[in-house]
Amino acid sequence: MAYVPGVALLAALAVGCSAGSDGSATDADSKPGGPTVTTAPPGKYRTLPAPCRAVPSSTLKDLLPGVAELPRQQQEKALRGSPTITYDTDRKVGCSWKADAPDSSRNLSIDFERVVSYDPLVSDDDRARSLYVKKENAAELPGSSTPGTAPEKGAPTGTGGGEKGQEKETGKAGDGTGSANPSPSASAGTSSGTPGTPGGDEDLRPRVVDGLGDAAFLDDLLTRAGSTAQHRTVSVVFRTSNVIVTVRYGEQPALVTKVPDSKELQDKAQALARKLAEVISE
């Protein structure tokens, strides 16, 4: 019988155990059919436009008539706008303008929000879609849908028509009769007819808007504080991919008896929103 030194025997046993262990580990790691993890795609937009430069001067002069009457230096300052204070300009930016004219004061603000999902299983677009739907539901649009429009990819739309404690426009937009406290002067200086009914010009109620981004809606709010003039604010909110844009355009007449015109404010707010959609896509 051959003599095997103790050290050599232990070395041989160690080699055998190592070979067996490596083989087992390799077999376990290489088993087919294991689960795969798919990461949701990022949003289309990685940056936001400079908000105070997003609206051309010519457009601002049209939206803010009082600017044209200011001295040159004051006019330039008014057109520059006031940037919104945010803590993450890569995610949210905004700008606002205001101008006073002899017959009324007007104000404008725009906000851009770039939505980022930190859940690898939820895309930026899906997260933005969810946030947009919450905004639309909060607007309490009258009715679940408007003829000729469709909810965004099966997403629910806002219902109801609550007053939200203020004079919410849900009926005759422009004449004040949809408010909680209608007044005899409510029909002064406004569009004729009853929008949305036979004989009316068009439906000016808060509604879903077609052809703007991936989804959009318009809200129209008329408020009065005590005996002061009525103030109307038209908001247009739209989503394009992972960016949500909000346009707010308002007017307060100098005369208490005058009601701001829905149609003019809505038309101009929508036109600006469509321009901003083009700016984002550039």
Side-chain angles (χ1 to χ4, degrees):
M1 179 177 180
Y3 174 76
V4 179
V7 175
L9 178 60
L10 291 175
L13 291 174
V15 171
C17 292
S18 299
S21 299
D22 290 343
S24 299
T26 302
D27 292 341
D29 291 342
S30 61
K31 287 182 179 179
T36 58
V37 178
T38 303
T39 303
K44 177 179 179 180
Y45 300 105
R46 304 296 183 90
T47 60
L48 292 172
C52 291
R53 296 198 297 269
V55 185
S57 297
S58 58
T59 302
L60 287 173
K61 290 179 180 179
D62 178 56
L63 295 171
L64 308 169
V67 169
E69 302 177 12
L70 296 174
R72 182 176 178 181
Q73 290 186 343
Q74 295 182 28
Q75 184 178 139
E76 292 176 351
K77 181 179 179 181
L79 292 175
R80 281 199 297 269
S82 301
T84 304
I85 298 176
T86 61
Y87 297 99
D88 188 354
T89 55
D90 188 49
R91 293 283 306 280
K92 191 171 184 178
V93 294
C95 193
S96 61
W97 298 263
K98 183 178 180 181
D100 296 322
D103 58 342
S104 69
S105 63
R106 301 207 183 190
N107 57 281
L108 169 70
S109 70
I110 59 175
D111 293 290
F112 299 93
E113 180 178 2
R114 186 176 68 90
V115 181
V116 176
S117 172
Y118 293 101
D119 186 342
L121 301 180
V122 179
S123 69
D124 294 345
D125 280 19
D126 286 341
R127 176 61 178 160
R129 182 181 296 108
S130 176
L131 292 177
Y132 167 83
V133 169
K134 289 182 179 179
K135 291 177 181 290
E136 184 178 308
N137 288 340
E140 298 180 332
L141 305 183
S144 58
S145 63
T146 302
T149 65
E152 180 203 6
K153 299 180 182 178
T157 59
T159 59
E163 298 293 339
K164 293 191 277 190
Q166 297 175 332
E167 297 180 345
K168 173 80 178 194
E169 282 296 306
T170 58
K172 300 179 181 180
D175 63 5
T177 58
S179 66
N181 299 302
S183 63
S185 63
S187 61
T190 61
S191 302
S192 61
T194 303
T197 62
D201 296 327
E202 61 180 296
D203 192 345
L204 298 176
R205 295 176 299 174
R207 61 197 180 277
V208 171
V209 176
D210 279 335
L212 176 57
D214 296 320
F217 71 88
L218 178 149
D219 199 7
D220 190 326
L221 187 64
L222 183 67
T223 59
R224 182 199 291 274
S227 60
T228 61
Q230 298 187 73
H231 185 279
R232 184 184 298 280
T233 300
V234 171
S235 301
V236 178
V237 181
F238 71 91
R239 181 187 77 84
T240 175
S241 187
N242 62 316
V243 171
I244 298 176
V245 181
T246 302
V247 175
R248 294 185 182 90
Y249 184 43
E251 178 187 9
Q252 180 170 315
L255 297 177
V256 177
T257 57
K258 186 177 180 181
V259 180
D261 183 22
S262 270
K263 180 170 173 46
E264 180 195 0
L265 297 180
Q266 290 190 19
D267 287 349
K268 290 185 176 182
Q270 288 190 78
L272 175 58
R274 296 182 189 283
K275 288 182 179 179
L276 296 179
E278 295 176 358
V279 170
I280 294 175
S281 301
E282 290 178 352

